[in-house]
Amino acid sequence: MADDVTGSHVTIPHGQKSKTFKSTSEAVVVNTHTVFSVVKRLPEHIQVDDPDVLKKLAKKLERQQIPRRLDYGYKVSLFSHLLQYSRKAPLTQQLSIPSAVIHPAIVRLGLQYSQGIVAGSNARSIALLHAFKQVISDYTTPSNEELSRDLVNKLKPYISFLNQCRPLSASMGNAIKYIKKEISNIPSQFKEDDAKKKLLNCIECFIEEKIVLAAKAIAKSSIEKINDGDVILVYGCSSLVNHILCEAFEKGRKFRVIVVDSRPRLEGREALRRLVQKGISCTYVLISAVSYILPEVSKVFLGAHALLANGYVMSRVGTSQIALVAKAFNVPVLVCCETYKFCERVQTDSFVSNELDDPDDLIVTRKGETQLKDWQQVPRLGLLNLVYDVTPPDFVDLVITDLGMIPCTSVPVVLRVKNVDLL
Amino acid sequence: MAAKVAKQSRSAGVPGRKGAPEQEGEELPLQAVLVADSFNRRFFPVTKDQPRALLPLGNVAMIDYTLEFLTSTGVQETFVFCCWMASKIKDHLLKSKWCRPTSPNTVHIITSDLYRSLGDVLRDVDAKSLLRSDFVLVYGDVVSNIDVSQALQEHRHRRKMEKNISVMTMIFKESSPGHRSRCEEDDIIVATDSRSQQILHYQKTQGLKKLQFPMNIFHSGSNEFEIRHDLLDCHISICSPQVAELFTDNFDYQTRNDFVRGILVNEEILGNQIHMHVTKDGYGARVSNLLMYDAVSSDLVRRWVYPLTPEANFTDQEGRGCTYSRHNVYRGPGVTLGHGSQMEENVLIGSGTSIGANCCISNSVIGNNCTIGDKVILDHAYIWNDVHISSNVTISQTVVCDRAEVKEGVTLNKQCVLAFNVVIGPNVSLPGGTVISMHHPEEEEEDDDEFLSDDAEVGQTKDKKGKQKMFNPAEVGAEGKGYVWKASSLDDTEDEELTQCLWGLVLNPDPESDSEDSEPEGPDDPVIPSPEMDDVKVVQMEVLGTLQRGLEENISCDNLVLEINSLKYAYNVTLKEVMQILTRVVLEYPFQQQGSLITASQYVALLVPLLKIWSPVFKNYVKRAQDQLDCLSAFEEHFLEQENHWAAMVKVKALTMVFFFLLHQVLKEMYDLEILEEEMILRWFSLEPSTNQSRKLRKNQGLQKLIQWFEEAEESSEEDEE
């Protein structure tokens, strides 16, 4: 039925798409609501191999007085259009102190992003919102300016700084969009204090409603899907999935969890630590053992980085592989995702728009030997440390959101309803 | 020495014994000493029928794990020392693969009934000069997969660099506190020099909350130290031949602990050092009690000791191979499993065992040829060979030894032990911690009081008395056979010790009081190495004895001082403690003589002449201002303790008497000290009162008057000076 809804209401006219977009770029950004005459620009961070775009970006950053992060290492050919950073050279090193342009809270946040201290799309969004709260409460409107215009302009360099530290996640993009809208919605006759109070309140509301309460709602409906005796497979460390499992355990459901993990981040260990601390019986395997462990699994719960408009699930790299194997073993795959992570982008593969992490993370030392120590010296050797992949909707049986349980294909409907809300 | 040496030097490759020792470059075969006796009674009612080294762990005798570990780490010649039930161990080893001609590790079995400790064994090693080079020293109950070759290299390197300084390298495994394989009673704290890995201090923590380190370890050469509590002693050590000699030289060394302590304390004199090697990824643990047995068994089943896994059949016995399947379930050949029975996880079932329907088994090890009925629930159960378990039985965390029988409807709660041949049931529930054996506990005590070792020859006289005594059906069930070793009412300390021994209970009876005992020494006198907790009490008894004798035999005070001084050094107590003890002894002396029900006036009448007699002794110890303060606080403490006997008023009177007396004594001797003495009393008085009672004491009128008098006296003396 939901498919039906999608089919009838959201139509992406194929002919128009092929006309308006450059044939070289596979990524399409579609604004599903209103008319399709507005075509969004491709973000710079997926056109690194185009010198024109780079020049433009450099100029923009110079104007905003933001340092540019430099490319690092030899890249695998298919991914030369993406930026590759090194964690060892953080952006903040190039900043002068005290920085006139960037608020210290933002500098700190940027460093935390780039070093991977704050990771995971929920954590990143919450950290961003808190940093913005700090910025807003420290803000004073210049005498001949209007708050709603000046503040938005002020935030722009901050956002491009954060984007330089680490490409923004879809959830952060949505949060920023929300804040900008709220700022521009402030009537000009508002006093500055009142306006600031209102904005801070709005941010609080966003965190509470879209993240905290959403997680609760999702947990509530997911628990119905967890039965006694279930063996649940989770991948990596999703704060939402952990929350669901802990809630279900507290409700007295008897189940076992298999935590699947992958190098280089080994986030699963954190998930394992949290679950075991609660007293949930867990098994820990690496992703290479997933086909061995799947026969005993009864459900797969996955977190998501973003849900794309064509129903694809963008998530930590490895997720699609797990969904594929689960499909092959006929095990239901449930994706848990808050609606604020829904995104209007359309993507059918993981190559076009993705993020490259520090390739040095892949280097390991075993028994005092470091195999890849001098990889930079080997001329044709590139290390690929992809961050995300996309899972086709065929492999996902259900998406559990704060609006209830929907199939993947209903994402455009949710987006449309949300946009109506926003208006 | 009726030691009987049985050498099984079957392999032709055993080199002659007379070869030149330790020639550079020549690689001598690595030797090991395996002590197949624990020299204690931790497993007692069980080890009465079978030595500890032969108890099955994952259906394989423990000594086989140790020998496999030694062989895989490159040991080529092993001396197995047996004592208790030596013939059984010998038989086992002769049948095993270690004594086949193809074995890379030549095993020599040496038995003697006269070994009483590890010390005896090593002294015998030295007497027979069995060892030519560095050797590995392990017990027969160590389960490990650590590769010691690196540690051995380090050890040899150290010995080459500094000739014969390092005598021993102890092997530790890194494991954080609270880890399952860490036995709480064996928790240790180690201080090392982080560069050279030399051990500076080694202590068992035994649940203490405060620990003390001798100051001198921080004064020695290096400037980097580590104090580590995250280590597990694997009880594997690489020793140089000197170790055996040192044991011979010091006939009082009984255990390795004695040895380590001796070496560390005498480091400066003898110049011997102990080093350590910390491994991160290996596994090593000693099965020192049943709790450890539980932990090591489950680690084994969970494959932490890889490659020593149950299905590996490393002992190479026929018909012992088993299959390994999901969730660590191992099944031997010929296992039958009834309909609806579940083996949840971490289960090992030996060959020929049959299990009935609707059973639920988890985290358990079941031996060979057992029969288990229907609807049996086993969790953390360790069931050895030829055991019969009827239907509707629930067993959790329990050891059931060979040929035991559990009849219908029996529930065995946590930490029970059924020793060999015991029959239980039907329809009884054993409370947690019950130990049942076919041997009567009393028979044990009668025969075996003087020995503290497994190896007492008591087994021969068995059963005669036992059979006359009736089994108690309330305890073991209507058809049961066996005696309860530990009743629920524990008044006998021996028994308490026993249960503690078996499961190595976490409940250390009073760790609180232990830690408090160590408190008074406080952090302000850190130069002295921490004395044993009980030493203070021992010294007190000794001092009392000395004074008593002094009084009876009219020994001069100088000699008394001499004796007390020697006590101080013998027990290594501080001067401060000596003084406190002395004060306490003297003040309690009247009670000792007359019983505790004497009145205050009687007390004072008795005390004053005593003080007069012993004043030179006091003067000898009370010299500095700090001493006087300590002395006063000891007085105060004593009188507060006596609160129950007298009203405060009388007490203060007695106290005043003592003060006057002391003042008087000191006055006579040294005028200079007089003012100091007053000052000290005033200072003591002005000190913050620590308890309510002492506050009350200080508010007392009599005392106030005294203080006032002192103050006035002081003022007047100051005026005089002006």
Side-chain angles (χ1 to χ4, degrees):
Chain A
M1 190 198 146
D3 283 47
D4 200 36
V5 172
T6 332
S8 59
H9 291 267
V10 184
T11 44
I12 303 172
H14 293 275
Q16 198 181 351
K17 195 169 79 180
S18 58
K19 251 184 270 165
T20 43
F21 293 106
K22 280 193 285 177
S23 54
T24 47
S25 59
E26 293 111 310
V28 250
V29 181
V30 183
N31 197 341
T32 41
H33 111 93
T34 67
V35 212
F36 293 94
S37 56
V38 192
V39 176
K40 288 210 170 167
R41 262 185 315 113
L42 281 173
E44 296 99 354
H45 67 85
I46 60 164
Q47 301 180 69
V48 182
D49 51 344
D50 187 344
D52 289 344
V53 176
L54 274 188
K55 216 180 276 171
K56 218 188 264 172
L57 176 71
K59 215 180 268 174
K60 179 185 156 199
L61 290 176
E62 207 175 313
R63 198 176 61 239
Q64 295 180 333
Q65 300 177 29
I66 304 272
R68 189 159 73 91
R69 206 166 182 192
L70 297 173
D71 232 1
Y72 170 75
Y74 176 78
K75 283 185 282 192
V76 179
S77 55
L78 256 179
F79 297 90
S80 59
H81 63 287
L82 299 174
L83 261 180
Q84 184 162 278
Y85 298 132
S86 169
R87 227 179 275 288
K88 287 191 198 84
L91 196 55
T92 44
Q93 271 180 355
Q94 305 164 30
L95 285 177
S96 56
I97 297 172
S99 160
V101 205
I102 309 169
H103 192 279
I106 301 290
V107 175
R108 191 178 60 186
L109 185 66
L111 192 64
Q112 284 171 335
Y113 283 164
S114 65
Q115 298 298 306
I117 298 164
V118 174
S121 56
N122 273 344
R124 277 168 76 191
S125 308
I126 292 172
L128 176 82
L129 290 166
H130 280 293
F132 277 167
K133 263 173 74 178
Q134 187 75 43
V135 170
I136 289 170
S137 56
D138 290 348
Y139 170 81
T140 45
T141 329
S143 52
N144 50 356
E145 291 279 355
E146 207 174 291
L147 179 132
S148 55
R149 285 218 194 120
D150 185 58
L151 189 55
V152 171
N153 285 335
K154 194 131 198 261
L155 290 184
K156 265 182 192 158
Y158 295 172
I159 292 160
S160 49
F161 170 75
L162 291 176
N163 206 6
Q164 282 297 305
C165 288
R166 188 180 163 186
L168 301 179
S169 70
S171 56
M172 285 160 70
N174 282 341
I176 290 168
K177 214 183 284 172
Y178 172 80
I179 292 177
K180 279 186 177 170
K181 195 194 63 135
E182 288 297 327
I183 294 174
S184 56
N185 275 356
I186 286 177
S188 52
Q189 66 269 25
F190 254 53
K191 271 190 206 147
E192 190 186 303
D193 282 349
D194 294 341
K196 276 161 75 175
K197 208 177 275 173
K198 183 167 182 279
L199 281 176
L200 294 180
N201 206 17
C202 282
I203 293 175
E204 272 299 313
C205 275
F206 187 87
I207 295 176
E208 189 63 25
E209 282 173 18
K210 302 282 177 188
I211 302 174
V212 179
L213 288 177
K216 275 189 186 156
I218 292 170
K220 208 171 175 186
S221 43
S222 316
I223 287 171
E224 291 167 25
K225 294 284 174 200
I226 299 177
N227 303 322
D228 281 356
D230 262 355
V231 179
I232 292 165
L233 184 139
V234 300
Y235 176 62
C237 181
S238 157
S239 56
L240 183 60
V241 172
N242 284 348
H243 176 75
I244 292 167
L245 293 176
C246 291
E247 286 280 298
F249 185 75
E250 271 160 26
K251 282 262 162 65
R253 298 285 152 88
K254 288 182 179 57
F255 58 93
R256 209 152 62 77
V257 177
I258 292 166
V259 179
V260 182
D261 205 356
S262 66
R263 285 213 315 116
R265 289 238 176 139
L266 298 174
E267 293 156 318
R269 290 186 183 174
E270 176 62 22
L272 188 72
R273 201 180 60 77
R274 290 187 196 170
L275 295 175
V276 167
Q277 204 172 31
K278 282 272 172 190
I280 301 171
S281 134
C282 291
T283 308
Y284 177 84
V285 294
L286 285 184
I287 194 163
S288 47
V290 74
S291 60
Y292 164 80
I293 207 85
L294 257 170
E296 56 189 80
V297 173
S298 59
K299 267 164 205 125
V300 176
F301 271 77
L302 297 174
H305 170 76
L307 224 61
L308 307 177
N310 56 349
Y312 276 60
V313 179
M314 190 173 192
S315 194
R316 176 108 197 113
V317 67
T319 307
S320 75
Q321 198 183 356
I322 286 174
L324 173 74
V325 179
K327 182 80 183 169
F329 280 95
N330 241 340
V331 176
V333 176
L334 292 87
V335 170
C336 309
C337 184
E338 299 94 339
T339 47
Y340 88 104
K341 289 182 186 167
F342 283 30
C343 173
E344 290 164 347
R345 248 179 359 196
V346 167
Q347 203 175 318
T348 51
D349 59 49
S350 330
F351 301 101
V352 181
S353 175
N354 207 327
E355 194 184 323
L356 296 182
D357 211 351
D358 189 350
D360 288 340
D361 288 355
L362 295 175
I363 299 169
V364 277
T365 305
R366 275 209 194 91
K367 293 187 178 162
E369 261 181 74
T370 313
Q371 300 288 357
L372 286 168
K373 202 164 52 190
D374 303 317
W375 70 276
Q376 303 243 41
Q377 264 69 52
V378 185
R380 308 291 297 165
L381 177 66
L383 296 186
L384 178 67
N385 187 2
L386 267 184
V387 177
Y388 302 113
D389 67 7
V390 291
T391 310
D394 312 346
F395 301 151
V396 178
D397 295 279
L398 192 68
V399 178
I400 306 174
T401 70
D402 35 338
L403 299 176
M405 300 185 219
I406 57 170
C408 281
T409 41
S410 302
V411 174
V413 185
V414 175
L415 282 172
R416 191 169 51 83
V417 171
K418 247 177 47 171
N419 282 335
V420 169
D421 272 359
L422 285 174
L423 282 176
Chain B
M1 274 288 219
K4 183 173 69 176
V5 183
K7 275 179 241 150
Q8 262 71 39
S9 42
R10 300 212 178 158
S11 125
V14 185
R17 196 131 295 154
K18 53 194 178 218
E22 288 193 65
Q23 271 182 13
E24 301 292 322
E26 192 198 340
E27 197 65 24
L28 287 161
L30 182 59
Q31 296 174 309
V33 168
L34 192 159
V35 184
D37 202 319
S38 55
F39 304 114
N40 63 34
R41 296 170 34 147
R42 303 305 294 270
F43 278 66
F44 196 63
V46 179
T47 45
K48 208 163 167 163
D49 296 306
Q50 193 154 22
R52 196 201 287 193
L54 293 189
L55 300 184
L57 183 95
N59 294 342
V60 174
M62 287 203 249
I63 195 169
D64 288 333
Y65 289 98
T66 317
L67 282 168
E68 178 71 25
F69 153 67
L70 289 175
T71 309
S72 66
T73 203
V75 172
Q76 293 172 347
E77 194 175 8
T78 307
F79 297 95
V80 179
F81 287 84
C82 334
C83 182
W84 171 237
M85 296 206 164
S87 56
K88 274 199 176 185
I89 299 178
K90 204 170 141 190
D91 287 348
H92 174 86
L93 289 179
L94 288 177
K95 270 188 272 168
S96 73
K97 76 165 182 180
W98 314 111
C99 288
R100 290 180 202 162
T102 51
S103 167
N105 184 0
T106 319
V107 174
H108 306 275
I109 305 164
I110 297 167
T111 63
S112 165
D113 296 337
L114 295 171
Y115 299 141
R116 285 277 169 275
S117 69
L118 177 72
D120 291 338
V121 169
L122 285 174
R123 279 186 274 279
D124 197 34
V125 165
D126 189 41
K128 292 183 180 135
S129 59
L130 295 169
L131 299 161
R132 301 176 300 281
S133 66
D134 297 339
F135 63 99
V136 182
L137 175 66
V138 285
Y139 282 99
D141 45 16
V142 169
V143 176
S144 171
N145 63 357
I146 297 169
D147 187 1
V148 298
S149 53
Q150 201 199 339
L152 190 71
Q153 254 173 17
E154 286 171 15
H155 180 78
R156 284 187 176 145
H157 178 71
R158 269 195 290 269
R159 286 182 59 78
K160 217 182 242 175
M161 296 308 287
E162 285 182 273
K163 201 75 188 156
N164 296 347
I165 291 251
S166 172
V167 291
M168 191 190 223
T169 302
M170 296 167 86
I171 294 183
F172 293 97
K173 189 188 100 174
E174 216 169 65
S175 77
S176 45
H179 188 268
R180 187 172 33 161
S181 67
R182 269 177 77 135
C183 176
E184 215 154 286
E185 53 181 45
D186 283 338
D187 265 0
I188 48 162
I189 195 146
V190 183
T192 58
D193 183 330
S194 40
R195 215 170 319 145
S196 67
Q197 296 290 302
Q198 186 199 338
I199 296 181
L200 304 170
H201 183 71
Y202 174 94
Q203 194 187 343
K204 286 195 174 191
T205 57
Q206 288 169 327
L208 291 181
K209 292 199 182 84
K210 287 188 182 174
L211 293 160
Q212 294 207 344
F213 297 94
M215 203 57 192
N216 56 334
I217 66 170
F218 302 108
H219 292 318
S220 62
S222 168
N223 39 18
E224 271 180 68
F225 298 97
E226 282 174 24
I227 292 177
R228 302 186 65 165
H229 188 47
D230 65 335
L231 296 177
L232 170 77
D233 189 352
C234 301
H235 292 274
I236 301 165
S237 24
I238 299 170
C239 308
S240 56
Q242 264 169 296
V243 172
E245 291 162 24
L246 283 167
F247 267 97
T248 312
D249 294 346
N250 299 279
F251 53 86
D252 56 332
Y253 286 174
Q254 295 299 314
T255 62
R256 201 184 64 154
N257 260 348
D258 291 345
F259 175 76
V260 171
R261 200 183 302 154
I263 293 287
L264 292 180
V265 169
N266 298 325
E267 195 217 309
E268 277 161 29
I269 306 162
L270 298 171
N272 291 323
Q273 295 177 348
I274 296 177
H275 288 80
M276 73 165 179
H277 175 81
V278 178
T279 168
K280 273 180 189 153
D281 20 79
Y283 184 89
R286 186 178 172 206
V287 183
S288 49
N289 53 42
L290 281 185
L291 218 55
M292 282 302 282
Y293 180 85
D294 185 16
V296 174
S297 291
S298 49
D299 283 343
L300 181 79
V301 170
R302 285 166 210 217
R303 311 176 76 77
W304 286 105
V305 206
Y306 186 86
L308 299 183
T309 51
E311 90 276 15
N313 190 21
F314 60 87
T315 51
D316 202 20
Q317 282 169 296
E318 262 184 55
R320 286 292 164 84
C322 55
T323 58
Y324 169 55
S325 44
R326 233 165 234 277
H327 301 301
N328 299 330
V329 172
Y330 305 83
R331 261 175 291 194
V335 169
T336 57
L337 194 63
H339 183 74
S341 283
Q342 270 189 330
M343 294 190 285
E344 285 187 345
E345 50 176 3
N346 308 321
V347 179
L348 167 60
I349 299 176
S351 60
T353 292
S354 69
I355 295 169
N358 297 319
C359 295
C360 181
I361 303 169
S362 57
N363 305 311
S364 298
V365 176
I366 300 172
N368 303 316
N369 305 317
C370 298
T371 49
I372 292 174
D374 300 340
K375 291 184 192 159
V376 173
I377 298 168
L378 303 178
D379 183 41
H380 282 284
Y382 297 96
I383 292 164
W384 296 357
N385 301 324
D386 306 308
V387 173
H388 292 273
I389 294 176
S390 307
S391 302
N392 299 316
V393 172
T394 306
I395 297 180
S396 59
Q397 209 185 10
T398 287
V399 175
V400 181
C401 300
D402 285 3
R403 298 177 297 281
E405 197 175 342
V406 181
K407 297 204 181 265
E408 265 203 42
V410 172
T411 305
L412 300 179
N413 286 316
K414 283 201 167 179
Q415 306 197 336
C416 287
V417 177
L418 302 186
F420 294 87
N421 303 319
V422 164
V423 182
I424 294 289
N427 299 320
V428 285
S429 169
L430 292 187
T434 316
V435 178
I436 295 184
S437 165
M438 288 305 280
H439 304 282
H440 200 278
E442 279 169 27
E443 157 200 349
E444 183 48 39
E445 275 166 31
E446 284 160 20
D447 295 343
D448 202 31
D449 263 349
E450 69 271 41
F451 296 125
L452 273 172
S453 151
D454 276 348
D455 36 311
E457 292 285 345
V458 286
Q460 273 64 18
T461 60
K462 67 177 182 183
D463 282 351
K464 273 186 189 164
K465 275 171 277 176
K467 276 190 179 130
Q468 289 155 11
K469 285 171 192 155
M470 293 298 288
F471 304 115
N472 184 355
E475 287 169 350
V476 295
E479 296 160 39
K481 287 178 192 163
Y483 303 103
V484 172
W485 270 58
K486 175 221 159 189
S488 46
S489 63
L490 280 173
D491 39 12
D492 199 340
T493 45
E494 248 245 308
D495 272 8
E496 196 158 18
E497 218 171 285
L498 173 85
T499 50
Q500 222 189 356
C501 288
L502 263 172
W503 278 102
L505 285 190
V506 204
L507 327 159
N508 222 342
D510 42 7
E512 290 283 313
S513 64
D514 271 0
S515 60
E516 271 161 26
D517 271 8
S518 62
E519 256 171 57
E521 292 137 41
D524 36 14
D525 44 7
V527 195
I528 291 92
S530 59
E532 288 291 291
M533 290 316 138
D534 292 324
D535 280 0
V536 175
K537 272 185 192 145
V538 177
V539 175
Q540 189 172 339
M541 292 308 292
E542 293 276 349
V543 169
L544 181 67
T546 309
L547 290 183
Q548 227 161 357
R549 246 177 322 114
L551 211 59
E552 281 160 12
E553 295 167 23
N554 237 342
I555 298 170
S556 82
C557 283
D558 287 349
N559 289 346
L560 287 180
V561 169
L562 213 60
E563 280 196 36
I564 294 171
N565 272 346
S566 67
L567 284 174
K568 170 177 176 283
Y569 290 114
Y571 290 94
N572 199 10
V573 291
T574 63
L575 198 60
K576 185 179 159 189
E577 279 169 332
V578 170
M579 219 187 47
Q580 284 172 337
I581 289 165
L582 189 66
T583 324
R584 211 178 302 149
V585 168
V586 171
L587 291 179
E588 276 170 13
Y589 197 80
F591 295 116
Q592 296 279 347
Q593 301 300 309
Q594 307 290 331
S596 56
L597 290 170
I598 49 172
T599 62
S601 51
Q602 272 175 313
Y603 175 78
V604 174
L606 280 168
L607 187 64
V608 172
L610 285 176
L611 282 175
K612 264 182 199 148
I613 297 167
W614 288 328
S615 61
V617 183
F618 266 99
K619 253 178 266 162
N620 188 36
Y621 289 106
V622 187
K623 277 179 182 155
R624 293 170 302 138
Q626 184 61 41
D627 301 340
Q628 294 173 4
L629 257 188
D630 291 340
C631 181
L632 283 175
S633 62
F635 276 141
E636 183 186 358
E637 207 176 290
H638 175 78
F639 283 108
L640 283 176
E641 276 169 23
Q642 301 299 331
E643 178 105 59
N644 298 338
H645 291 304
W646 309 313
M649 192 60 204
V650 188
K651 208 166 53 195
V652 171
K653 202 168 142 200
L655 196 59
T656 327
M657 290 289 293
V658 176
F659 283 158
F660 272 126
F661 174 74
L662 265 186
L663 266 178
H664 184 65
Q665 290 295 321
V666 181
L667 251 169
K668 264 201 286 189
E669 292 297 313
M670 290 164 277
Y671 182 73
D672 293 347
L673 271 182
E674 178 216 350
I675 296 166
L676 195 58
E677 180 72 36
E678 282 173 5
E679 271 173 9
M680 279 350 277
I681 291 177
L682 290 173
R683 207 167 111 193
W684 164 75
F685 187 73
S686 60
L687 277 180
E688 198 59 31
S690 50
T691 61
N692 261 341
Q693 287 182 334
S694 59
R695 204 171 296 136
K696 221 190 277 171
L697 184 86
R698 271 161 221 220
K699 278 193 187 139
N700 191 288
Q701 264 193 341
L703 201 57
Q704 296 270 15
K705 254 183 213 163
L706 180 73
I707 296 297
Q708 210 179 346
W709 184 80
F710 279 140
E711 276 166 345
E712 278 164 11
E714 199 177 358
E715 275 163 22
S716 67
S717 69
E718 273 166 15
E719 279 162 19
D720 285 354
E721 275 166 31
E722 282 166 12

